[in-house]
């Protein structure tokens, strides 16, 4: 008997020539390991897109194999649903499996699971029961799954079976999914992982996006929406760095701004004792005046939206003993909370359920209240500068007058230090992932902390921060950016992984007190200043949608005359 040639471990056989599908002699080439891997990747991709004949010719000319012969045979038998032969193939592959003998058991279990489900779909109940009792159960593997599979015997038909089992049904699709699971146990030199070339390209594009300082676009599947023929790079003009509106409706210093969680409203609070609610146009990314909420005798220094965007809490400056809860849908005051004239209720934060909130101030008040303003719990003697409710629904972070942020759990009444600064923490916020905290620190600027590791990650450069309260924010797609006001009248924007600013936005003429990033429409930024104005920032005009209307640019409202003006000429400085 003629001895068969053994394939190399990298999937390439070592022979001098072979015949093409047309019968012509094809001379194989000698290649190094890297080129052999590339050829295999290309061959796999050609087969994936249906160019089987081209893939076969490539393999013949290169002298490579996509898969080990035993693995290729195994794949064919699985795709054909020939479970007896597939089981025999496993014994041949046993010596090639990664890991222990447990891998073989897991692969057998997956094969038998598919075999059992296909028998059930074909109404071969006796054969399915035989697999369950005499093949699956004796493996002694994943007993809970075996019990689950047993329950499928009661399904009335294939449709119910597929729904309950979360299974695609007998055929190419479910068998391909099974094969993807099975080959995870085989080393890549024996069988390439599915769509490996696409996975590598996807990783490359993802890395390029991460390294692009202005990438602010969300798309599913990294390699699907970009050209692979050149490196990915976003233009700075696509970034929200131009003033698209200047809103002049406040008549005194504007201290705070915050977009609603649904991205459709902006609230601004001012020393003029009013809160203005602005409607956001998602098409033009501009604001129009909706309602002015008046009567805050101390001015409005802090605002917090409920998670459903239906309610808004307004707090005053440090000597303010009250807060106001507004129903934004009805545009009416729901309740005014005031427990004692000695209180200082200057900061607040909603719990994620929207049914209760916490509030406090530097005079030592720290309360947890319901929507009617009733105190549910209190913590004595905590002097609060800023508050944030964590996503677990029970832990509250509080920046206090001891230059630290501590965690308070109202369920079990425990508290502990999270981070310590050397200077006063004027304000802070936490990202949506609940992992990073952004602090504005007196005389120091903006600091980024990791809440899990409790360590300082980054000190952002450029901003001027004295002893005024300035509020920064996370924003952009995946909250990859940080923006802050500054006492030098500018807005600073950083990529979360870079210390130096990627943009410095000018236009305000006095201190910028607060910056807010729209949480839904990521190309929209708002800033407020002691110059009495609110500025809306967006991409360069050619990257904006439906920006041909002068009315949209001017932000004219339906309620009388809004003093909004367009100012696209405000300059900005981009840092690469």
């Amino acid at each position: 008997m003629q001895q068969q040639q053994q394939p190399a471990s990298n999937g390439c056989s070592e022979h001098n020539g072979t015949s093409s599908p047309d019968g012509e002699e094809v001379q194989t080439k000698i290649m190094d390991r890297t080129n052999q891997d590339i050829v295999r990747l290309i061959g796999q991709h050609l087969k994936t897109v249906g160019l089987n004949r081209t893939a076969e010719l490539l393999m013949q000319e290169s002298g490579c194999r996509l898969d080990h012969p035993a693995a290729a045979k195994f794949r064919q038998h699985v795709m054909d649903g020939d479970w007896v032969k597939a089981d025999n193939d496993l014994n041949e592959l046993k010596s090639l499996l990664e890991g222990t003998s447990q891998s073989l058991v897991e692969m057998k279990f997956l094969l038998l699971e598919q075999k059992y489900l296909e028998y059930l779909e074909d109404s071969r109940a006796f054969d399915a029961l035989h697999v369950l009792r005499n093949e699956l159960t004796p493996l002694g593997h994943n007993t809970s799954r075996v019990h689950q599979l047993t329950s499928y015997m009661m399904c009335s038909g294939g449709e119910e079976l597929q729904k309950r089992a979360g299974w695609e049904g007998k055929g190419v699709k479910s068998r391909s999914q099974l094969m993807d699971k099975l080959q995870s146990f085989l080393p890549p030199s024996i069988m390439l992982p599915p769509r490996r070339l696409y996975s590598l390209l996807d990783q490359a594009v993802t890395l390029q996006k991460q390294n692009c300082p202005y990438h602010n676009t969300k798309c599913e599947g990294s390699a699907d929406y970009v050209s692979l023929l050149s490196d990915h790079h976003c233009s700075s003009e696509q970034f929200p760095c131009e003033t698209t509106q200047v809103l002049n409706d406040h008549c005194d210093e504007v201290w705070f701004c915050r977009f609603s969680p649904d991205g459709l409203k902006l609230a601004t609070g001012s020393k003029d004792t009013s809160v203005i609610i602005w409607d956001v146009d998602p098409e033009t990314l501009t604001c129009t005046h909706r309602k002015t909420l008046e009567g805050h005798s101390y001015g409005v220094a802090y605002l917090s939206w409920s998670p459903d965007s239906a309610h808004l809490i307004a707090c005053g400056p440090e000597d303010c003993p009250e807060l106001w809860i507004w129903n934004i849908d009805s545009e009416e005051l729901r309740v005014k909370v005031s427990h004692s004239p000695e209180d200082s209720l200057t900061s607040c934060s909603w719990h994620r359920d929207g049914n209760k909130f916490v509030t406090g101030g530097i005079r030592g008040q720290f309360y947890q209240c319901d929507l009617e303003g009733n105190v549910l719990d209190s913590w004595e003697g905590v002097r609060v500068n800023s508050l944030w409710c964590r996503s677990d629904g029970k832990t509250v972070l509080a920046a206090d007058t001891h230059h630290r942020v501590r965690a308070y759990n109202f369920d079990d009444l425990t508290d502990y230090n999270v981070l310590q600064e050397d200077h006063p923490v004027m304000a802070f916020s936490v990202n949506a992932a609940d992992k990073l905290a952004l602090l504005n620190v007196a005389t120091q600027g903006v600091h980024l902390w990791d809440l899990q590791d409790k360590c300082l990650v980054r000190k952002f450069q450029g901003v001027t921060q004295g002893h005024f309260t300035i509020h920064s924010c996370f924003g952009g797609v995946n909250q990859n950016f940080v923006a802050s006001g500054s006492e030098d009248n500018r807005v600073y924007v950083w990529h979360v992984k870079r210390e130096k600013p990627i943009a410095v936005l000018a236009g305000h003429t006095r201190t910028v007190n607060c910056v807010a990033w729209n949480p839904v429409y990521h190309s929209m930024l708002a800033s407020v200043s002691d110059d009495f104005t609110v500025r809306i920032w967006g991409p360069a005009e050619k990257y904006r949608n439906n920006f041909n209307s002068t009315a949209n640019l001017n932000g004219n409202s339906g309620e009388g005359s809004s003093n909004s003006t367009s100012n696209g000429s405000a300059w900005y400085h981009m840092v690469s």
Side-chain angles (χ1 to χ4, degrees):
M1 181 179 294
Q2 185 178 3
Q3 185 176 4
Q4 289 186 343
Q5 184 176 12
Q6 294 297 317
S9 61
N10 59 11
C12 294
S13 57
E14 299 169 352
H15 50 81
N16 296 322
T18 186
S19 297
S20 72
D22 296 328
E24 297 180 2
E25 183 73 15
V26 178
Q27 187 67 33
T28 60
K29 301 184 181 299
I30 299 175
M31 295 179 289
D32 59 26
R33 174 64 179 269
T34 299
N35 281 313
Q36 291 171 1
D37 289 347
I38 292 172
V39 167
R40 292 182 69 203
L41 292 171
I42 294 172
Q44 183 196 46
H45 185 72
L46 290 173
K47 278 185 168 291
T48 301
V49 297
L51 301 176
N52 295 320
R53 186 171 177 274
T54 306
E56 289 172 7
L57 182 59
L58 174 64
M59 293 298 103
Q60 290 168 358
E61 185 175 5
S62 65
C64 293
R65 298 181 190 272
L66 280 180
D67 301 318
H68 188 284
K73 184 173 60 172
F74 176 58
R75 179 196 294 275
Q76 190 61 52
H77 289 152
V78 170
M79 296 306 296
D80 290 342
D82 193 333
W83 308 119
V84 174
K85 290 182 179 179
D87 186 64
N88 291 333
D89 296 336
L90 272 182
N91 295 323
E92 292 184 43
L93 291 169
K94 183 176 180 180
S95 61
L96 303 174
L97 295 180
E98 292 189 334
T100 62
S101 58
Q102 184 64 21
S103 297
L104 182 65
V105 173
E106 292 181 30
M107 293 180 76
K108 282 182 178 290
F109 187 91
L110 290 171
L111 279 175
L112 293 171
E113 181 182 46
Q114 178 80 10
K115 179 180 177 181
Y116 169 77
L117 292 172
E118 290 195 9
Y119 280 162
L120 280 184
E121 187 177 64
D122 289 341
S123 300
R124 297 169 60 180
F126 181 80
D127 291 330
L129 186 61
H130 178 83
V131 173
L132 191 66
R133 287 179 173 175
N134 302 318
E135 297 183 77
L136 272 168
T137 303
L139 285 177
H141 177 72
N142 201 349
T143 306
S144 61
R145 178 59 176 165
V146 172
H147 292 161
Q148 194 175 33
L149 291 171
T150 304
S151 69
Y152 299 154
M153 295 284 290
M154 306 303 294
C155 290
S156 58
E159 187 174 338
E160 183 185 354
L161 172 65
Q162 292 178 28
K163 184 176 180 181
R164 288 187 58 188
W167 181 60
E168 295 288 346
K170 178 180 179 180
V172 173
K173 193 167 184 179
S174 66
R175 290 173 182 174
S176 295
Q177 292 173 348
L178 169 64
M179 199 60 232
D180 288 349
K181 294 177 183 176
L182 290 168
Q183 70 184 82
S184 65
F185 295 94
L186 295 168
S189 60
I190 302 302
M191 179 178 284
L192 286 174
R195 302 179 80 223
R196 180 58 182 163
L197 179 60
Y198 186 90
S199 297
L200 290 171
L201 294 174
D202 199 58
Q203 292 172 28
V205 172
T206 298
L207 182 61
Q208 288 180 27
K209 288 180 178 179
Q210 291 174 351
N211 292 333
C212 176
Y214 305 116
H215 185 74
N216 193 31
T217 305
K218 188 173 185 178
C219 59
E220 304 298 331
S222 297
D224 290 334
Y225 296 89
V226 298
S227 171
L228 298 175
L229 305 182
S230 61
D231 288 346
H232 173 79
H233 179 71
C234 293
S235 167
S236 60
E237 293 183 318
Q238 296 171 258
F239 206 67
C241 291
E242 285 194 7
T243 299
T244 60
Q245 279 183 297
V246 180
L247 308 173
N248 295 302
D249 293 35
H250 285 292
C251 57
D252 208 330
E253 297 173 358
V254 191
W255 287 339
F256 199 83
C257 61
R258 181 71 57 87
F259 284 101
S260 58
D262 62 12
L264 295 175
K265 295 177 283 291
L266 172 68
T268 55
S270 171
K271 187 179 179 181
D272 66 9
T273 73
S274 73
V275 174
I276 297 181
I277 306 299
W278 309 85
D279 283 322
V280 173
D281 186 332
E283 295 297 322
T284 61
L285 300 182
T286 56
C287 294
T288 54
H289 188 286
R290 175 177 177 173
K291 182 74 173 180
T292 298
L293 310 177
E294 299 176 322
H296 304 85
S297 54
Y298 291 83
V300 180
Y302 194 84
L303 298 164
S304 182
W305 287 93
S306 62
D308 61 1
S309 303
H311 291 88
L312 181 73
I313 296 178
C315 299
E318 64 181 64
D319 55 349
C320 179
E322 62 191 27
L323 63 80
W324 299 50
I325 305 177
W326 292 91
N327 185 322
I328 300 303
D329 292 334
S330 65
E331 299 179 353
E332 295 177 348
L333 179 66
R334 175 158 183 165
V335 65
K336 182 167 71 171
V337 179
S338 181
H339 299 294
S340 165
E342 301 302 318
D343 279 355
S344 173
L345 305 182
T346 57
S347 183
C348 63
S349 181
W350 291 87
H351 281 287
R352 64 178 180 179
D353 60 8
N355 294 322
K356 56 183 182 291
F357 64 90
V358 290
T359 182
I362 60 172
R363 295 178 183 171
Q365 288 72 41
F366 186 14
Y367 304 125
Q368 182 164 252
C369 306
D370 63 17
L371 267 177
E372 301 305 320
N374 301 310
V375 175
L376 304 176
D377 302 285
S378 64
W379 217 288
E380 297 296 329
V382 180
R383 301 179 181 274
V384 174
N385 284 334
S386 187
L387 290 165
W388 196 274
C389 292
R390 302 201 69 176
S391 60
D392 62 5
K394 57 185 179 181
T395 305
V396 179
L397 300 180
D400 59 29
T401 54
H402 298 285
H403 311 169
R404 64 191 178 183
V405 172
R406 286 178 64 80
Y408 297 85
N409 188 312
F410 279 93
D411 287 356
D412 55 22
L413 299 179
T414 58
D415 60 303
Y416 53 89
N417 261 15
V418 176
L419 60 90
Q420 179 75 53
E421 285 278 1
D422 295 328
H423 298 81
V425 179
M426 308 303 290
F428 79 99
S429 59
V430 177
N431 71 343
D434 203 29
K435 294 180 179 179
L436 299 174
L438 191 63
L439 281 62
N440 285 81
V441 184
T443 72
Q444 302 300 300
V446 184
H447 292 179
L448 184 70
W449 281 78
D450 186 311
L451 293 175
Q452 292 181 327
D453 295 337
K454 299 181 181 180
C455 64
L456 179 64
V457 176
R458 191 159 289 111
K459 294 182 178 181
F460 296 109
Q461 300 179 19
V463 69
T464 303
Q465 169 91 57
H467 290 277
F468 290 115
T469 299
I470 291 176
H471 300 272
S472 56
C473 67
F474 291 97
V477 171
N478 299 321
Q479 295 195 322
N480 285 332
F481 303 98
V482 166
S484 179
S486 175
E487 292 180 22
D488 64 3
N489 312 340
R490 298 172 182 176
V491 174
Y492 287 79
V493 184
W494 302 267
H495 192 282
V496 73
K497 294 182 178 179
R498 300 184 177 209
E499 291 187 2
K500 293 184 178 180
I502 61 172
V504 181
L505 315 182
H508 286 293
T509 57
R510 294 179 65 186
T511 295
V512 181
N513 297 308
C514 183
V515 182
W517 211 303
N518 194 306
V520 179
Y521 307 103
H522 303 300
S523 293
M524 188 177 193
L525 199 66
S527 60
V528 299
S529 168
D530 284 349
D531 64 9
F532 303 6
T533 69
V534 180
R535 280 184 177 258
I536 306 299
W537 306 85
E541 187 167 359
K542 65 181 179 180
Y543 288 103
R544 296 178 223 150
N545 293 327
N546 304 327
F547 254 64
N548 298 320
S549 168
T550 303
N552 284 337
L553 277 173
N554 289 341
N556 294 332
S557 72
E559 289 187 12
S561 60
S562 168
N563 296 320
S564 307
T565 60
S566 170
N567 187 357
S569 61
W571 65 268
Y572 59 93
H573 174 58
M574 309 303 296
V575 185
S576 61

